[in-house]
Amino acid sequence: MSFFDEYIIAVGEKQESPFLNKYGIYQDGTTPMYRDVDGRLWAMSGHSHMGHIGMFCGTTLEDMKEVWPISTNFCVGHAEYAFSGIRYPEGILPRGSIWPFGLYICPGTHRFFCFFHNEGGWNGKGTAYDAFGYCNTPAFDSDFRHVGLMHSDDEGKNWIFDRWVLTGEQVAFTEKFNPGAGLMKGQPSGSILLGSGDFSLFVEPDGEYMYLFYNIIRVHTEKRCWESCDVYVARTRKRSDGVMGDFVKYYDGAFCEAGNFGKETMIVEKAWHPRVMYSQKYKKYFMSAVTMRPATTPKGSNLDNVMAVRVSDDLLHWSEPLRVSKNGEPFGNHYVALVGNEPDVQPCVATGDEFVVLTNHNGTDVAMWPAKFTGL
C-alpha cells in the first residue's frame, strides 16, 4: 500500500516569503537553504542577470531577512571573461549566468558551498548559444546545462568559483553548431539531450552523503519541442574539512559513474525540477516536482505547473505521484518545494506532519504555503 493511499497533503493559505521582487530578488528555480552548526538558517535567492542574489539568514522562514547581496570574484556573461576562464568539461569556454540551487555549510570549517545551475543560452552577451547556433534567447529552451560549484569563507558575502561538478554524458553542442570545441563531434540532429541541470541538493540528515537530484531534458531539433524531462541523481560524501568531493552518478543499480560525462539511469520520468524532503515521523522521503505532459506539438516544455509528490524509502525507487489540490483545484506553480520549517532542524527535514510549500515562476515572488500530511 502506498503512503498516499492513506494520506493526502492539505495546503493552507498563501503567505509572503522573504524572497520578493520588491527587494530586488527574482528567484528562478527552487530556493536553496541550509542550517549551520550554530542553528542559524541560511538561504540564497535570486540569479545573476536580474536583480541581485541575496544571502538571507534567520531562525525560520518567518523571521528570515536578507543580510547582504553576494559578490563574486569572477564575472558572468561573455565567454571571453566568465567564470575565470575555467572551461566547461567539454573544453568550451563557459558563459552565461548563475542560478543558485544548492547550499551546504561545512560543519567543521563554516565554509559555505553553493551549487549553481548554468545555461549557455542566456546572458552570454553576444556569445550565448543553443542547439542551432548563437542566440539572444534559446529556441524552445534548447540550450545546454551544467552544474557549477563556488565557495565562500565569509558567510556568503564573497564567492570563489571552483569547478564544474556535473555534466551530461553527451557533449553540450550539436553538429549544427560548434561553439569552440575543436575536433569534437556534436550531437546529431533529431533527439538530443541538454545536459545535467535544473536540480536541487538534498543532504542526508543522519547519513554520510549529499545528493544532487537533477533533470536531463530531451528535445527534438526538427520537431522543435521537448520530448522528455526526467530525474537523475548523483552523490558525494559529506566532509568536515572544508573540501567538496566529486560527485558520482547513479547508473545501472549503483553509484558508479563520473559526475562529468558519466552515464546515468533515470529514477523518475516526466518530472521537472525535483526537490526532496525527509519525514522523521514516517521515515520516508518525499519528492516534489512538476509533471511534463506528452509533447505532441511544438509547445516548448509542456509542463503542467501542478505540484506532484512522490514517496520513497531509499531515494532511488519512487511511487506514482500524488497531484496536489487546494479547494478542489490543482495546486502548484512552475517551481515547487517541500521545506521543513522548524527551528534547529535542517530545511530538508520535517519532524512531524507540518511543513511549508514554496512556489514561484520564472523570476516571480516566492509564495509560502503552510501544509501538512493528513489522513484520508
Side-chain angles (χ1 to χ4, degrees), residues 27 30-34 42-48 53-55 70-72 74 76 83 97-106 110-118 146-166 199-201 203 210-212 236 242-245 247:
Q27 180 62 24
T30 63
T31 301
M33 304 177 196
Y34 201 75
W42 294 85
M44 299 179 74
S45 196
H47 62 291
S48 62
I53 300 171
M55 206 78 214
I70 76 162
S71 295
T72 62
F74 59 94
V76 297
F83 300 102
S97 290
I98 58 175
W99 286 262
F101 287 167
L103 178 65
Y104 177 71
I105 303 171
C106 176
H110 207 64
R111 171 171 282 185
F112 284 35
F113 290 97
C114 171
F115 299 92
F116 63 84
H117 172 83
N118 168 262
H146 295 85
V147 178
L149 172 67
M150 59 184 184
H151 76 268
S152 170
D153 286 343
D154 56 7
E155 297 186 324
K157 293 178 185 175
N158 298 283
W159 292 86
I160 297 168
F161 178 63
D162 293 320
R163 65 189 190 275
W164 304 100
V165 298
L166 211 59
F199 68 94
S200 65
L201 176 71
V203 181
M210 63 179 74
Y211 296 79
L212 292 175
T236 190
V243 171
M244 183 59 64
F247 278 81

Side-chain angles (χ1 to χ4, degrees), residues 187-358:
Q187 296 185 54
S189 297
S191 289
I192 66 168
L193 300 177
L194 299 182
S196 305
D198 303 294
F199 68 94
S200 65
L201 176 71
F202 175 75
V203 181
E204 285 185 318
D206 299 314
E208 60 178 320
Y209 293 100
M210 63 179 74
Y211 296 79
L212 292 175
F213 288 90
Y214 62 98
N215 278 136
I216 296 179
I217 301 163
R218 181 185 294 274
V219 303
H220 200 286
T221 59
E222 309 308 315
K223 297 177 182 177
R224 300 181 72 85
C225 67
W226 285 26
E227 293 187 310
S228 62
C229 177
D230 304 317
V231 178
Y232 301 77
V233 64
R235 75 182 186 186
T236 190
R237 285 188 176 90
K238 294 188 287 186
R239 299 173 63 115
S240 59
D241 59 356
V243 171
M244 183 59 64
D246 288 336
F247 278 81
V248 179
K249 293 176 178 176
Y250 179 74
Y251 172 70
D252 196 24
F255 286 92
C256 60
E257 286 281 324
N260 289 316
F261 300 126
K263 294 182 178 181
E264 47 237 320
T265 294
M266 175 187 69
I267 60 170
V268 174
E269 66 174 348
K270 299 176 183 176
W272 162 250
H273 214 289
R275 177 84 170 238
V276 173
M277 180 186 75
Y278 178 68
S279 167
Q280 288 184 349
K281 178 177 179 179
Y282 298 106
K283 294 180 171 49
K284 293 182 181 296
Y285 304 94
F286 294 87
M287 176 190 290
S288 57
V290 164
T291 302
M292 178 186 166
R293 297 184 295 258
T296 56
T297 57
K299 293 182 179 178
S301 64
N302 216 23
L303 301 171
D304 68 6
N305 291 349
V306 177
M307 186 166 78
V309 180
R310 294 167 172 84
V311 61
S312 172
D313 294 319
D314 62 2
L315 294 173
L316 297 173
H317 303 89
W318 295 88
S319 72
E320 290 300 309
L322 168 74
R323 286 171 58 84
V324 178
S325 61
K326 176 175 168 55
N327 300 327
E329 298 293 330
F331 170 82
N333 207 326
H334 197 58
Y335 301 107
V336 294
L338 305 178
V339 178
N341 193 34
E342 304 165 60
D344 303 321
V345 179
Q346 289 294 351
C348 61
V349 175
T351 62
D353 287 312
E354 296 183 351
F355 51 95
V356 299
V357 178
L358 298 182

Side-chain angles (χ1 to χ4, degrees), residues 90 92 169-179 181-189 261:
E90 290 91 344
I92 301 166
E169 180 189 1
Q170 292 75 19
V171 297
F173 66 101
T174 69
E175 63 182 7
K176 291 180 178 291
F177 176 73
N178 186 325
L183 296 178
M184 294 174 62
K185 290 183 178 181
Q187 296 185 54
S189 297
F261 300 126

